[in-house]
Amino acid sequence: MRQALPMAEGPVAVESWYDSDIDHVIITEEQIRDRITELAKQVAADYASVDRLLLVCVLKGAVMFMADFARALGRCGTPVELEFMAISSYGQGATSSGVVRILKDLDRDIAGRQVIVVEDIVDSGLTLSWLLKYLESRSPGSVEVVALFRKPDAVKVPVPVRYVGFDIASEFVVGYGLDFAERYREMPYVGVLKPEVYTRSLP
Ligand code: IMP
């Protein structure tokens, strides 16, 4: 029979495997949590008259944000439905080209629905610009975007991002869904990797 584990007294600070790979933290776990609550309040107020808001998450980077944002909207009394898309962007290394392939499409018709695209980060904006055109072709009632992070380069492609969590500097960040070679997505905060991590990862 299973033994009950003793309960820890309050939060326990445990060093995780990824902490030593981080050069500096950009946004803390608490800042992310507080900002998501603010964004949800704003969206809940703007969509107060909408019956069922449809959130479209772009996998994999936005998965943490989607989960926390949907629950924050729930706490604001806004009912939501969740849809997931996976797309791959052809590009040179970390730069996206805007040429996109759909790996997983929407499971349902979005015609006439009020849609919010839940994005992790807008960098050049090329991926999002393609996605918005694609969604518009499916005749939704409306489409808006909420992006947790936005980099300054995003202004180069005019993509209408109605809700932005944080404007950050133009450097490569990991954590809270954002990866480097599929790692660091589970970090609860966002940070910049130490330079040696990249050298270590070279073949
Ligand atoms: P864009 O088409 O240049 O806007 O690229 C957007 C996508 O690139 C995001 O959805 C992320 O998956 C990825 N990306 C952009 N910047 C970063 C970063 O700093 N860390 C991790 N992934 C990033």
Side-chain angles (χ1 to χ4, degrees):
M1 204 170 133
R2 271 189 166 181
Q3 295 290 313
L5 290 170
M7 293 288 285
E9 295 276 331
V12 186
V14 181
E15 169 102 350
S16 203
W17 68 267
Y18 41 71
D19 293 323
S20 57
D21 284 359
I22 299 301
D23 189 69
H24 56 279
V25 177
I26 299 278
I27 317 265
T28 66
E29 187 175 357
E30 191 185 14
Q31 284 174 311
I32 293 173
R33 196 174 47 235
D34 291 350
R35 187 71 187 115
I36 290 177
T37 303
E38 285 171 9
L39 287 171
K41 282 184 185 158
Q42 209 181 333
V43 170
D46 291 351
Y47 287 82
S49 58
V50 172
D51 197 19
R52 283 170 304 133
L53 189 55
L54 187 64
L55 302 182
V56 175
C57 169
V58 186
L59 294 170
K60 302 172 191 171
V63 74
M64 307 294 177
F65 180 34
M66 175 76 149
D68 286 341
F69 184 59
R71 282 179 290 186
L73 279 170
R75 285 192 288 274
C76 293
T78 303
V80 291
E81 289 179 17
L82 313 183
E83 275 291 309
F84 295 87
M85 278 189 79
I87 56 182
S88 89
S89 168
Y90 297 104
Q92 299 278 310
T95 322
S96 75
S97 62
V99 182
V100 172
R101 187 163 61 109
I102 297 177
L103 303 176
K104 190 217 163 291
D105 206 343
L106 299 165
D107 288 336
R108 72 183 90 176
D109 188 14
I110 61 164
R113 299 294 303 270
Q114 315 306 316
V115 174
I116 295 190
V117 176
V118 179
E119 259 285 22
D120 50 358
I121 189 163
V122 186
D123 187 357
S124 70
L126 284 165
T127 311
L128 188 56
S129 148
W130 179 91
L131 183 67
L132 289 175
K133 281 194 201 104
Y134 176 75
L135 293 175
E136 289 292 355
S137 75
R138 316 266 302 239
S139 313
S142 67
V143 183
E144 297 291 351
V145 179
V146 56
L148 190 55
F149 305 107
R150 182 173 62 182
K151 292 186 186 174
D153 275 354
V155 294
K156 285 186 187 162
V157 184
V159 274
V161 182
R162 181 154 172 196
Y163 307 98
V164 179
F166 302 91
D167 277 308
I168 62 169
S170 202
E171 56 189 342
F172 193 81
V173 293
V174 294
Y176 200 71
L178 296 169
D179 74 309
F180 168 62
E182 292 301 327
R183 303 185 81 206
Y184 307 101
R185 291 193 198 275
E186 73 271 44
M187 272 171 45
Y189 58 89
V190 169
V192 172
L193 289 169
K194 288 178 181 164
E196 60 260 34
V197 174
Y198 297 104
T199 338
R200 203 168 68 201
S201 306
L202 289 174

